[in-house]
Amino acid sequence: DAEITQSPRHKITETGRQVTLACHQTWNHNNMFWYRQDLGHGLRLIHYSYGVQDTNKGEVSDGYSVSRSNTEDLPLTLESAASSQTSVYFCASSEGGLGTTDTQYFGPGTRLTVL
Amino acid sequence: RKEVEQDPGPFNVPEGATVAFNCTYSNSASQSFFWYRQDCRKEPKLLMSVYSSGNEDGRFTAQLNRASQYISLLIRDSKLSDSATYLCVVIFRGGFKTIFGAGTRLFVKA
């Protein structure tokens, strides 16, 4: 079955380290998204991509970067982890393209702790 | 003012009750609307899309009021398994911006 996966599911790191969170989808969806979820804020969009080689900043993109080298993967990199980036991170994908819905499907999440 | 606002609750209701949630949005250019359900420490899952004509899926009914800029979710005959957080989602196709409400927490009690 097609799916969207994230790894690792849990990560503990130290301030200043570079961290990469993986997201992989097998639906062949054009659009992929990264969100963070914190108490009191709900889900906030970090970056999104319409397709290969396309990336765009979301609401809370400072300190994060993404790259899209193929359809299936959108890794999220924290260049220099900060304690404020302790959060739960969700990846999502949607079909994209004319005539499709905007429905997004989410991965299981990665719980990141920055000490 | 937040672009998408929900009553955070919590709503505490007995089994069998009918409960309604509202969600308001500020940008009239909003294009697509959804309700998602999120269980504790899990990913959000699509509950239903929301259309101007209204749509129903079993015990769940969703409505969109573009003139007043709000969407609603009605749950009839509540079950214990309906206990979760319900998120409204608004997508602005022009800028491809996705905004989640902070969620409304529902507890259904036996």
Side-chain angles (χ1 to χ4, degrees):
Chain A
D1 286 342
E3 60 179 356
I4 180 166
T5 57
Q6 294 183 234
S7 63
R9 296 293 312 279
H10 301 271
K11 174 79 176 177
I12 299 174
T13 191
E14 295 177 341
T15 302
R17 291 196 182 250
Q18 184 181 80
V19 176
T20 297
L21 309 183
C23 175
H24 180 81
Q25 53 97 2
T26 58
W27 282 304
N28 202 35
H29 283 171
N30 290 318
N31 302 337
M32 295 184 73
F33 310 82
W34 272 105
Y35 296 89
R36 61 177 289 173
Q37 187 174 33
D38 307 286
L39 281 174
H41 286 282
L43 281 104
R44 291 181 291 174
L45 184 62
I46 304 171
H47 282 284
Y48 60 96
S49 168
Y50 286 115
V52 176
Q53 301 302 329
D54 176 77
T55 61
N56 305 279
K57 293 182 179 180
E59 179 188 358
V60 289
S61 61
D62 287 348
Y64 303 94
S65 64
V66 293
S67 62
R68 187 93 180 267
S69 59
N70 58 53
T71 301
E72 296 81 15
D73 299 289
L74 187 70
L76 177 72
T77 298
L78 287 67
E79 302 294 344
S80 177
S83 58
S84 60
Q85 294 176 307
T86 293
S87 187
V88 179
Y89 291 85
F90 288 104
C91 179
S93 70
S94 66
E95 280 185 276
L98 289 176
T100 65
T101 72
D102 291 319
T103 305
Q104 295 183 23
Y105 300 92
F106 284 80
T110 294
R111 190 169 296 272
L112 177 67
T113 301
V114 183
L115 300 176
Chain B
R1 182 188 172 189
K2 291 183 180 179
E3 292 187 85
V4 175
E5 295 203 64
Q6 289 184 252
D7 182 342
F11 285 65
N12 293 287
V13 302
E15 272 188 296
T18 296
V19 61
F21 308 136
N22 283 333
C23 171
T24 59
Y25 60 95
S26 60
N27 192 323
S28 59
S30 304
Q31 182 77 22
S32 303
F33 307 87
F34 303 89
W35 283 102
Y36 277 73
R37 170 197 169 121
Q38 186 174 27
D39 295 293
C40 189
R41 302 172 80 88
K42 297 288 184 79
E43 73 272 24
K45 292 186 177 178
L46 178 68
L47 182 64
M48 56 199 307
S49 303
V50 188
Y51 306 111
S52 297
S53 55
N55 48 305
E56 188 173 310
D57 183 3
R59 298 181 293 109
F60 299 85
T61 301
Q63 292 275 357
L64 165 63
N65 185 317
R66 285 192 183 271
S68 301
Q69 295 183 199
Y70 75 85
I71 65 174
S72 63
L73 177 68
L74 182 75
I75 305 175
R76 292 180 299 277
D77 190 22
S78 298
K79 311 291 185 190
L80 293 175
S81 58
D82 294 332
S83 297
T85 298
Y86 291 83
L87 308 170
C88 72
V89 183
V90 176
I91 296 182
F92 307 83
R93 189 175 284 279
F96 208 91
K97 190 172 162 183
T98 304
I99 305 291
F100 278 78
T104 298
R105 191 74 176 90
L106 172 66
F107 293 98
V108 181
K109 305 169 294 183

